[in-house]
């Protein structure tokens, strides 16, 4: 009875949606903390600030962010010159659509500790400023035969000092017991970082608190 029913993916839900030039310009005006959201209910995209997003939600999620825009626009300008914006807009739209199904699978496979870390970082006034990047980290570099740990990288901007960015690389599933890595940068210049074990929400809370204290100490040392 159901043998001829076609497969439907999440990407198919967004076949009529589009990330437009206007959305990307809005993202640029919002600045650090600006994100483009995919809304599974509306099956559409919209630009907003990361503070409006529920860190634990799975029906509204980030597909592109301000820091993604800055990085991509720099690359496209070097490659295409005056045609950079013309080339960038459709590339962002196509990539978001192509990756939609994989992105949703990664989100549903993301553990509680990662979402709690996002919650605690926002509580300490750090805003997500890019789409979470999922990737495989292998136990031995260059050897595909070794088991891989699914990782996620989150990039944050300090709300009061947006030139300060924090990158958190964590195992998507804390049950792997793999180490996380937290780094702090000032305008792309490395400030400090540390490995962290975040096997529960208490570890996430402690490390988010440490990030805030470390940034405050750095600003006291370097700002008049």
């Amino acid at each position: 009875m159901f043998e001829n029913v076609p497969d439907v993916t999440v990407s198919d839900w967004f076949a009529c949606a589009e990330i437009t030039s206007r959305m990307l310009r809005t993202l640029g005006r919002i600045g650090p903390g600006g994100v483009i959201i995919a809304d599974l209910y509306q099956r559409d995209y919209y630009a907003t600030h990361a503070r409006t997003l529920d860190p634990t939600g799975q029906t509204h999620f980030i597909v592109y962010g301000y820091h993604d825009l800055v990085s991509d626009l720099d690359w496209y300008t070097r490659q295409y010159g005056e045609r950079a914006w013309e080339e960038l807009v459709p590339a962002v739209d196509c990539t978001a659509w192509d990756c939609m199904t994989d992105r949703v699978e990664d989100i549903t496979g993301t553990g509680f500790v990662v979402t709690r870390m996002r919650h605690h970082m926002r509580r300490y006034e750090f805003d997500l400023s890019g789409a979470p990047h999922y990737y495989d980290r292998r136990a031995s570099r260059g050897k595909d035969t070794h088991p891989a740990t699914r990782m996620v990288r989150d990039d944050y901007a300090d709300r009061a000092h947006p030139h300060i960015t924090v990158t958190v690389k964590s195992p998507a599933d804390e049950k792997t017991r793999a180490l996380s890595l937290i780094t702090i940068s000032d305008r792309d210049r490395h400030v400090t970082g540390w490995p962290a074990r975040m096997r529960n929400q208490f570890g996430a809370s402690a490390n988010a608190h440490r990030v805030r204290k470390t940034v405050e100490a750095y600003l006291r040392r370097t700002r008049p």
Side-chain angles (χ1 to χ4, degrees):
M1 177 178 177
F2 297 107
E3 60 185 17
N4 294 320
V5 175
D7 292 332
V8 177
T9 66
V10 176
S11 296
D12 295 326
W13 295 2
F14 286 80
C16 296
E18 181 182 8
I19 294 179
T20 64
S21 175
R22 183 176 181 179
M23 286 183 192
L24 294 184
R25 294 192 186 281
T26 299
L27 195 62
R29 288 194 295 271
I30 294 173
V35 291
I36 292 177
I37 299 298
D39 184 332
L40 290 180
Y41 286 133
Q42 300 295 325
R43 301 185 181 185
D44 205 353
Y45 306 107
Y46 60 90
T48 185
H49 197 282
R51 289 197 299 269
T52 68
L53 186 65
D54 178 3
T56 64
Q58 295 185 349
T59 58
H60 300 73
F61 53 88
I62 302 170
V63 296
Y64 202 68
Y66 174 77
H67 280 159
D68 300 321
L69 176 63
V70 170
S71 176
D72 288 348
L73 188 56
D74 176 69
W75 187 88
Y76 273 79
T77 298
R78 286 186 278 108
Q79 294 294 317
Y80 298 103
E82 295 180 355
R83 294 176 47 244
W85 194 262
E86 178 184 346
E87 298 288 338
L88 173 63
V89 175
V92 172
D93 179 57
C94 288
T95 300
W97 187 81
D98 287 342
C99 297
M100 185 65 66
T101 299
D102 290 340
R103 191 183 302 274
V104 170
E105 290 178 356
D106 278 324
I107 290 171
T108 57
T110 298
F112 177 71
V113 172
V114 171
T115 57
R116 293 304 294 172
M117 184 63 175
R118 292 169 181 168
H119 170 81
H120 291 305
M121 289 292 284
R122 185 164 71 179
R123 183 163 62 93
Y124 286 109
E125 299 189 337
F126 293 99
D127 298 313
L128 283 167
S129 197
H133 173 62
Y134 290 85
Y135 61 98
D136 289 328
R137 184 178 71 186
R138 297 196 175 275
S140 180
R141 183 172 297 179
K143 295 184 178 181
D144 293 341
T145 57
H146 287 260
T149 301
R150 194 63 172 167
M151 304 290 292
V152 56
R153 188 192 75 208
D154 287 330
D155 296 309
Y156 298 87
D158 186 333
R159 195 174 302 166
H161 306 278
H163 55 89
I164 299 292
T165 57
V166 180
T167 298
V168 181
K169 298 178 180 179
S170 302
D173 183 356
E174 64 272 12
K175 295 183 182 66
T176 64
R177 306 179 71 82
L179 281 172
S180 300
L181 177 65
I182 300 172
T183 56
I184 300 172
S185 302
D186 183 353
R187 293 188 176 90
D188 296 327
R189 183 176 67 84
H190 177 74
V191 173
T192 188
W194 59 89
R197 292 196 182 277
M198 293 192 290
R199 296 174 179 171
N200 54 52
Q201 63 171 316
F202 305 107
S205 177
N207 276 283
H209 181 263
R210 180 178 176 181
V211 170
R212 172 47 66 198
K213 291 299 183 182
T214 302
V215 169
E216 289 177 353
Y218 169 76
L219 291 172
R220 287 195 298 269
R221 290 195 308 270
T222 59
R223 299 296 185 269

